[in-house]
Amino acid sequence: MADDVKKSYGAEQIQVLEGLEAVRKRPGMYIGTTDMEGLHHLVWEIVDNAIDEAMAGECSNIVVTLNSDGSCMVEDDGRGIPVDTHKKTGRSALETVLTVLHAGGKFGAEGGYKVSGGLHGVGVSVVNALSSKTVAEVRRNGKIYRQEYSRGKPVTELEEVGKTDETGTTITFIPDADMFPITEFDYETIKNRMRQQAYLTKGVSIKIVDKRFDKKYKFYFEGGIKSYIQHLNKNKESLGRIVYIDKDLPEGNVEIALQYTNSYQEHIFTFANNIHTVEGGMHLTGFKAALTRTINAYARKNSILKEKEANLTAEDVREGLTAIISVKLTDPQFEGQTKSKLGNAEMRTAVENVFNEQFSEFLNEHPNDAKLFISKCSLAARARIAAKAARETVIRKGVLEGMTLPGKLADCSSKDPSKTELYIVEGDSAGGSAKQGRDREFQAILPLRGKILNVEHSRMDRILSNNEIKSTVIALGVGIGETFNIEKLRYNRIVIMTDADVDGAHIRTLLLTLFYRYFKPLVEQGHIYIAQPPLYKLGQGKKTVYAYSDEEKEEALKEFKDVSKVNIQRYKGLGEMNPDQLWETTMNPETRSMLRVAVEDAERADQVFDTLMGTEVPPRKKFIQTHAKSVKNLDI
Ligand code: 0RA
């Protein structure tokens, strides 16, 4: 670093340098982790700042470029970070933003930055601190300015490098390899986030360009969250049109879009200042209250609900609903375990009042849509009552109590759930082999006969009347619905073991759907696995090799002396393996490999399950063709 730069720092500035040192000492405090998530946090930080400019109505184009030199460049056509001297630090505003922790846009009156969002951010300075090189270019006042930094410290003065009639900011940074074990950005991760941000910021165009792999994508949604609803519902059958509300209030901006579908699930996504409030909060509470109230009021007024009929419950009016609630406010309070719950009480009343008023107006103006919505809700109410009765019968009969383990379950002898495994096996014959081949100390076997019910198309009462599902639920021990309790899980690992053919894949998907929809914590906490039986057995004389893929088979062939005389057996089903072989290849923890099922992202997983299990056929076909092998791998 140049001496003159160092010398000119005032007392305050020295403190500033210490500030960024703290970021390098404990990066986790600022960006959570230094794994892939933390690495991408750097990108979100810069993009969020550009989005703030867009929310202020000052920016309409953002380009994120991943360069071959490992850098990420974020370009926007906002106002450009100010370059005039900042009174407190004596340095330019640009340098202050890049080197002062939490300086961000909070300039107060003198900086003139109306803080519309971005308050969640840790600040551009954190990105700078964690980058081996940062270059900031600002287009402002008819000029182009440039300054370069390394690990949070300026290495050049702020220079004027040209003229322009445009405005905007370009930040290019290379994540510091001393800070991040992995420094390669992931195109898909960035693309997904950019899609979401583009939906949430109506009218902004966000482009992602990957120079490393020659890929690019552009997002632009004139309809904002209305387009988001269309996207979320694209594989579902919708009921009526999308309701859309966008209102500026003294408390902030409230934007709501919703649409009913004929599915049984509810999907409500909430955001505050473009941050996904996973734990909900005041805006969600206000929305839910208003939804129930408005629908009941309309149904009563128009005699769709008869006098003697009970009100629709909050659950009834949310069945099959896809909704997005996005609020923007000046001083968001994020609470909860993961700081993703909006705490501002004024937002509850703001959302509740606006939605009450505008949704009533919508229902009055669109009586046909109103009828569609309400008949869906009434259907949900009738089903709820029927399902409750069915469930009570089931529970009364003790069918789900641990006492009556299914007869076909071959349980293990260990009662320590942290060590045990349950193999759910397709078919009786494979079940037989598995029962003989297993280590009965810790491995239990549950054979399933034929197909299980597609839970996507059924409600709880029907689901519980399906014998295969009932056996599975009883074997798991955790109960279902309101009786679900993960503490009662009887096995640490639940392993789906099906044949390597289309039927096997179908059964696996049906089981995954069951787990995802009704036992989500089991998926989230990594209890669900997919067994990997071999596809081939190669033999010659006394030598036997198993291959788990076509590539492996080709590799394995090379190990034999006389390649033309190798006996290759292709396993069509688990049943073709004898118990010893099944143990050795698929069940022995010393030698097997399994896939752990991970839910990367609830929204994406949900789409996947909808695509695979929903009623619409074409998207399902496309998905299976393109993603057939992309399950997370974990060898155990
Ligand atoms: C401080 C004040 C102003 C804008 C910004 C920062 C700003 C920061 C970033 C980071 C990436 N892109 C950005 N664009 C703008 C307000 C400027 C004014 O009032 O003219």
Side-chain angles (χ1 to χ4, degrees):
M1 188 168 71
D3 261 341
D4 54 347
V5 175
K6 237 186 211 161
K7 253 184 265 151
S8 59
Y9 278 2
E12 270 169 315
Q13 199 64 8
I14 288 161
Q15 205 187 0
V16 164
L17 286 178
E18 280 170 5
L20 288 192
E21 277 312 319
V23 177
R24 291 180 61 79
K25 262 202 199 104
R26 307 180 72 184
M29 290 263 295
Y30 300 86
I31 55 168
T33 61
T34 53
D35 59 11
M36 288 301 269
E37 207 177 318
L39 177 73
H40 288 86
H41 218 108
L42 305 182
V43 185
W44 312 157
E45 189 52 47
I46 309 288
V47 173
D48 285 356
N49 276 275
I51 295 273
D52 285 353
E53 284 290 285
M55 292 199 301
E58 303 283 353
C59 161
S60 42
N61 291 286
I62 299 168
V63 185
V64 180
T65 306
L66 305 174
N67 291 309
S68 308
D69 65 358
S71 69
C72 170
M73 176 168 91
V74 182
E75 216 175 336
D76 68 59
D77 61 357
R79 287 168 292 189
I81 303 178
V83 288
D84 49 325
T85 305
H86 185 252
K87 283 210 186 90
K88 256 201 178 141
T89 60
R91 311 296 303 171
S92 70
L94 176 71
E95 190 178 315
T96 309
V97 167
L98 271 105
T99 56
V100 178
L101 205 49
H102 298 301
K106 289 181 212 164
F107 280 64
E110 58 175 318
Y113 190 40
K114 182 178 172 291
V115 192
S116 46
L119 285 161
H120 50 287
V122 286
V124 180
S125 61
V126 168
V127 179
N128 191 22
L130 300 175
S131 297
S132 54
K133 178 178 171 176
T134 307
V135 178
E137 192 196 274
V138 168
R139 297 168 293 283
R140 201 179 155 99
N141 315 327
K143 297 183 182 119
I144 304 174
Y145 302 89
R146 183 184 186 282
Q147 190 170 24
E148 197 178 312
Y149 312 79
S150 177
R151 302 187 165 88
K153 297 171 187 175
V155 291
T156 71
E157 287 289 345
L158 175 63
E159 290 160 353
E160 241 181 81
V161 292
K163 293 194 184 318
T164 180
D165 50 15
E166 290 168 3
T167 64
T169 307
T170 304
I171 307 272
T172 310
F173 63 95
I174 301 180
D176 190 347
D178 294 344
M179 294 285 130
F180 299 93
I182 298 169
T183 54
E184 273 113 67
F185 296 107
D186 181 59
Y187 177 77
E188 288 300 324
T189 303
I190 297 176
K191 188 175 144 189
N192 283 333
R193 169 88 176 204
M194 294 310 109
R195 176 191 290 114
Q196 190 186 63
Q197 294 296 312
Y199 278 129
L200 291 169
T201 321
K202 189 160 53 174
V204 72
S205 146
I206 309 183
K207 213 152 98 182
I208 165 165
V209 182
D210 192 336
K211 289 264 171 77
R212 306 164 307 177
F213 304 109
D214 199 22
K215 287 189 278 198
K216 56 183 168 189
Y217 212 95
K218 184 175 152 177
F219 296 108
Y220 171 79
F221 303 111
E222 218 163 43
I225 59 171
K226 196 172 169 179
S227 313
Y228 204 171
I229 294 281
Q230 258 160 4
H231 167 74
L232 291 170
N233 283 351
K234 68 172 184 275
N235 298 325
K236 300 189 172 100
E237 224 174 280
S238 56
L239 301 172
R241 69 191 87 195
I242 298 176
V243 180
Y244 177 71
I245 290 158
D246 183 5
K247 187 135 178 116
D248 280 318
L249 300 165
E251 296 90 342
N253 174 269
V254 175
E255 205 183 350
I256 298 170
L258 66 84
Q259 186 176 40
Y260 278 95
T261 72
N262 72 347
S263 94
Y264 302 128
Q265 314 293 330
E266 74 172 72
H267 300 287
I268 305 180
F269 299 97
T270 63
F271 299 86
N273 290 8
N274 284 17
I275 299 163
H276 187 186
T277 34
V278 181
E279 298 174 87
M282 291 298 175
H283 48 348
L284 178 61
T285 309
F287 170 79
K288 284 182 174 175
L291 181 72
T292 314
R293 200 173 108 193
T294 310
I295 290 199
N296 277 302
Y298 180 89
R300 290 258 175 242
K301 201 177 88 195
N302 294 277
S303 306
I304 305 174
L305 262 185
K306 302 282 163 338
E307 228 172 279
K308 57 180 191 318
E309 282 180 287
N311 264 0
L312 297 160
T313 68
E315 285 73 34
D316 298 336
V317 299
R318 294 201 305 264
E319 187 180 287
L321 179 74
T322 305
I324 292 167
I325 298 131
S326 170
V327 298
K328 286 169 186 151
L329 63 170
T330 15
D331 190 18
Q333 308 293 319
F334 293 106
E335 302 172 347
Q337 277 202 321
T338 56
K339 292 262 170 277
S340 62
K341 183 174 185 179
L342 184 68
N344 301 61
E346 75 274 15
M347 268 298 147
R348 187 177 63 79
T349 34
V351 172
E352 190 170 342
N353 292 339
V354 165
F355 187 59
N356 248 332
E357 179 195 313
Q358 309 241 339
F359 190 43
S360 308
E361 205 174 299
F362 176 93
L363 295 174
N364 286 325
E365 282 169 16
H366 305 92
N368 290 335
D369 290 83
K371 268 191 210 114
L372 276 175
F373 299 170
I374 291 167
S375 60
K376 166 67 180 169
C377 302
S378 308
L379 192 67
R382 287 199 297 278
R384 168 176 53 82
I385 293 159
K388 185 158 180 272
R391 238 181 358 253
E392 275 166 3
T393 319
V394 170
I395 291 165
R396 210 173 30 247
K397 282 188 195 154
V399 184
L400 283 186
E401 308 286 279
M403 321 282 286
T404 46
L405 284 172
K408 55 189 177 170
L409 171 77
D411 211 357
C412 50
S413 42
S414 167
K415 295 281 169 262
D416 177 357
S418 70
K419 296 195 176 67
T420 55
E421 303 179 343
L422 174 68
Y423 276 78
I424 302 177
V425 187
E426 169 185 4
D428 279 338
S429 78
S433 289
K435 280 181 192 177
Q436 288 176 52
R438 68 178 169 144
D439 182 333
R440 61 173 58 241
E441 168 64 22
F442 71 99
Q443 292 179 320
I445 311 293
L446 180 69
L448 294 184
R449 289 182 196 94
K451 301 247 157 113
I452 68 161
L453 184 77
N454 183 350
V455 302
E456 199 69 1
H457 298 312
S458 324
R459 285 204 185 79
M460 186 92 87
D461 52 336
R462 261 204 73 204
I463 291 169
L464 285 178
S465 66
N466 178 276
N467 279 326
E468 304 311 289
I469 292 184
K470 208 153 67 188
S471 306
T472 308
V473 176
I474 296 168
L476 294 177
V478 291
I480 190 167
E482 57 261 56
T483 65
F484 177 86
N485 178 2
I486 197 162
E487 311 258 296
K488 294 200 172 154
L489 184 63
R490 300 181 62 245
Y491 309 94
N492 180 34
R493 294 184 175 134
I494 295 119
V495 188
I496 301 171
M497 187 157 76
T498 59
D499 289 342
D501 59 10
V502 180
D503 279 345
H506 191 199
I507 294 171
R508 186 171 64 231
T509 313
L510 290 167
L511 281 167
L512 285 175
T513 311
L514 171 71
F515 291 134
Y516 178 71
R517 290 288 188 222
Y518 289 93
F519 304 96
K520 202 166 185 174
L522 299 186
V523 184
E524 287 167 340
Q525 294 177 28
H527 290 290
I528 311 291
Y529 295 82
I530 296 170
Q532 298 293 292
L535 280 182
Y536 298 99
K537 179 184 170 189
L538 295 81
Q540 193 174 57
K542 283 208 174 101
K543 189 178 165 87
T544 303
V545 178
Y546 295 99
Y548 294 81
S549 67
D550 286 312
E551 297 89 67
E552 261 186 55
K553 180 192 74 179
E554 295 309 317
E555 278 303 306
L557 269 176
K558 293 180 196 154
E559 290 176 27
F560 290 91
K561 283 200 194 75
D562 195 351
V563 171
S564 62
K565 287 194 186 131
V566 179
N567 175 28
I568 303 178
Q569 183 189 355
R570 189 184 200 290
Y571 289 121
K572 284 182 216 74
L574 297 163
E576 289 177 28
M577 265 180 270
N578 65 38
D580 288 345
Q581 287 172 336
L582 194 58
W583 164 255
E584 190 184 331
T585 61
T586 318
M587 298 175 71
N588 179 357
E590 307 275 314
T591 51
R592 73 186 174 192
S593 98
M594 300 199 295
L595 297 175
R596 175 188 264 170
V597 179
V599 177
E600 289 287 346
D601 167 340
E603 184 200 318
R604 213 181 78 87
D606 182 59
Q607 290 273 326
V608 171
F609 281 97
D610 274 342
T611 309
L612 285 171
M613 308 309 292
T615 36
E616 309 250 335
V617 176
R620 177 169 9 171
K621 208 164 177 183
K622 182 156 174 278
F623 179 87
I624 292 175
Q625 282 160 358
T626 49
H627 293 258
K629 284 197 173 150
S630 62
V631 196
K632 252 213 160 158
N633 201 348
L634 185 85
D635 286 343
I636 299 165

